[in-house]
Amino acid sequence: MSMSPEERFDLIRENLGEVLNPELIESILKEGRNPRIYWGTATTGRPHSGYFVAALKIAQLLAAGCEVVILLADVHAFLDSMKAPLELVENRVKYYEKVIRAILEAVGVSTDKLEFVLGSSYQRNSDYVMDVYRLAALTSEHDCRKAGAEIVKQSTNAPMSGLLYPILQVLDEEYLKVDAELGGLDQRKLFVAATEWLPKLGYRKRAHLITPMVAGLSGGKMSSSVEDSKIDLLDPPEAVAKKIRKSEAAPKIVENNGIIAMVEFVLLPAAGLAGKKEFRVERRDAEPLIYTDIQQLKEDYANDILTPQFLKPAAAEALTRLMAPIYDAYQASPEWQEITLKAYPPPVVQKKQKKVKDRGTRRPGAAQEQQPQQDLPERPKEQSTEQ
């Protein structure tokens, strides 16, 4: 059954936090054209369970008839305070493609419909580089710093590469020939900058689809670089259960609760995509709680009907089930395992040098050791008895 332009647009904006310049997408749909949309990820730290948010949205975009491009941003990874050293970038790109394909397949998306593009495949071309120079000449340091404030590592005396990062991401919209970009709420400032900067070069502005940010297990943003905030997509079931058990989830507190955020933005939508949108919580000596609506879950949690003791194991079980195809695919692929070791080699542990203990100078025999040994007199030679 074909969808009307209005139905397609409703599906495109479903579960989003915000859409910038939505009229651009609406006009494309009314023309009968399929919007071309890209989602980019810098190939830095190992992807975590928060990547399911983008994967689920990509599944909806494909269902709405959109063309979807996935940018593996290897140059961006290097520019962001060299989070991905050049000698590791090639293998990290391979790792990311393996993981992203596995995530999408885990939620039932055929990756045959996707187009994967490597950033360096076009970002070193002369036209692109010249546009980087042009936009750099038209953009202030303040504006570049502001645009990348929440996505580029900020520090005093930061490298110039961090200021180039937003410029490259803005130009990607033009060089990937897309109508819109998909990204998280932390990229909003950069998206606003893109609508202002591209027309300066004579290029059209694009729409931006903004997904909500998923709170981490320790509260705040889930991040690849903050170990306690995330669940790695290749964590075994026992590690998933342990991390969720140790996560911060205060009773009755819904805000910044990473477990509730996981149910809202990952587990419930994934269950809906699989055909049965529900989240089941087993309870000892009581009937299970079954949620099809996140608002009801939040109300029960705030009223202490649903407690952390019951929520956490239910979330761990549902997430383990969702991640199982990814984990199984990794275990069955020696190639993927080898790529992982090359992309994220274990840290080299420096052996501590054994410190020679100072036994002091007042112990017996110390004075004798400190005195230089005197040369013994030579033994006189015996005279020969031969005549």
Side-chain angles (χ1 to χ4, degrees):
M1 179 179 171
S2 60
M3 291 185 288
S4 67
E6 292 75 17
E7 290 172 326
R8 294 177 69 189
F9 182 68
D10 287 342
L11 187 54
I12 288 170
R13 68 180 179 182
E14 186 176 311
N15 293 334
L16 291 175
E18 186 180 3
V19 180
L20 301 181
N21 303 310
E23 69 282 355
L24 299 179
I25 295 179
E26 288 179 296
S27 64
I28 291 170
L29 293 172
K30 287 177 182 177
E31 293 170 5
R33 186 163 65 83
N34 294 330
R36 181 174 168 85
I37 301 170
Y38 102 88
W39 174 72
T41 179
T43 52
T44 53
R46 290 168 60 136
H48 50 71
S49 56
Y51 277 60
F52 274 111
V53 176
L56 292 164
K57 188 65 240 177
I58 288 169
Q60 290 182 317
L61 295 176
L62 290 171
C66 299
E67 299 174 9
V68 180
V69 180
I70 294 181
L71 173 65
L72 300 172
D74 53 340
V75 175
H76 290 76
F78 175 71
L79 290 178
D80 189 1
S81 295
M82 294 186 291
K83 286 182 180 177
L86 287 176
E87 60 271 18
L88 299 180
V89 165
E90 182 179 354
N91 284 298
R92 289 194 177 180
V93 165
K94 294 176 183 176
Y95 179 87
Y96 263 69
E97 182 166 353
K98 289 275 190 186
V99 167
I100 291 167
R101 286 186 183 277
I103 296 172
L104 292 165
E105 288 166 3
V107 297
V109 177
S110 172
T111 56
D112 294 340
K113 299 177 182 178
L114 297 171
E115 180 184 345
F116 283 84
V117 177
L118 185 62
S120 57
S121 67
Y122 66 89
Q123 289 168 342
R124 293 186 291 188
N125 293 348
S126 58
D127 289 345
Y128 185 93
V129 172
M130 194 64 216
D131 272 344
V132 171
Y133 295 155
R134 291 170 63 201
L135 194 51
L138 296 170
T139 312
S140 70
E141 176 193 353
H142 171 270
D143 289 347
C144 284
R145 195 178 299 278
K146 179 182 177 182
E150 295 186 48
I151 56 172
V152 181
K153 186 176 180 180
Q154 301 286 314
S155 62
T156 56
N157 197 29
M160 280 293 297
S161 58
L163 299 179
L164 287 175
Y165 189 112
I167 290 176
L168 266 67
Q169 186 166 337
V170 168
L171 289 173
D172 289 340
E173 296 181 1
E174 173 65 24
Y175 280 81
L176 290 172
K177 303 301 178 187
V178 296
D179 303 300
E181 181 178 356
L182 171 68
L185 183 60
D186 56 343
Q187 300 190 66
R188 190 183 190 282
K189 291 179 181 177
L190 196 147
F191 292 162
V192 171
T195 62
E196 298 173 358
W197 295 358
L198 283 177
K200 292 181 180 180
L201 299 180
Y203 300 139
R204 62 188 174 93
K205 65 181 180 180
R206 270 69 177 185
H208 296 90
L209 314 179
I210 303 176
T211 57
M213 296 304 297
V214 178
L217 299 181
S218 55
K221 175 183 173 182
M222 186 178 288
S223 170
S224 296
S225 58
V226 181
E227 189 62 34
D228 291 340
S229 77
K230 64 167 186 169
I231 292 174
D232 191 289
L233 287 165
L234 295 178
D235 277 342
E238 58 272 18
V240 174
K242 182 178 179 180
K243 286 183 178 181
I244 290 181
R245 188 169 59 249
K246 292 173 62 179
S247 65
E248 295 181 17
K252 302 182 182 181
I253 305 299
V254 173
E255 295 300 319
N256 290 323
N257 187 315
I259 306 302
I260 291 179
M262 184 185 299
V263 176
E264 181 175 5
F265 298 116
V266 176
L267 299 178
L268 265 179
L273 199 63
K276 191 175 183 181
K277 187 178 181 181
E278 69 172 34
F279 177 68
R280 187 182 183 92
V281 180
E282 299 291 347
R283 297 185 296 172
R284 292 187 302 271
D285 305 323
E287 290 294 317
L289 298 171
I290 300 175
Y291 296 101
T292 58
D293 178 17
I294 192 62
Q295 293 308 320
Q296 184 61 55
L297 184 147
K298 290 180 178 180
E299 287 177 18
D300 281 1
Y301 194 85
N303 293 322
D304 213 27
I305 297 170
L306 174 61
T307 64
Q309 289 74 19
F310 293 129
L311 174 62
K312 286 184 177 183
E317 182 182 350
L319 185 61
T320 298
R321 193 164 53 246
L322 181 60
M323 290 170 50
I326 304 172
Y327 185 74
D328 292 345
Y330 175 78
Q331 293 296 327
S333 174
E335 178 196 4
W336 190 353
Q337 295 168 27
E338 183 181 353
I339 289 170
T340 304
L341 284 174
K342 290 179 179 178
Y344 302 97
V348 178
V349 179
Q350 298 289 342
K351 289 186 178 180
K352 290 185 178 180
Q353 296 292 330
K354 189 174 180 181
K355 189 175 181 181
V356 179
K357 187 175 180 180
D358 183 0
R359 294 182 292 171
T361 58
R362 300 183 67 181
R363 61 186 172 78
Q368 183 177 351
E369 288 180 5
Q370 290 180 351
Q371 291 178 355
Q373 190 174 15
Q374 294 181 353
D375 294 335
L376 295 175
E378 290 187 9
R379 184 179 176 180
K381 294 180 181 180
E382 295 183 359
Q383 289 185 346
S384 175
T385 56
E386 295 182 5
Q387 298 294 326

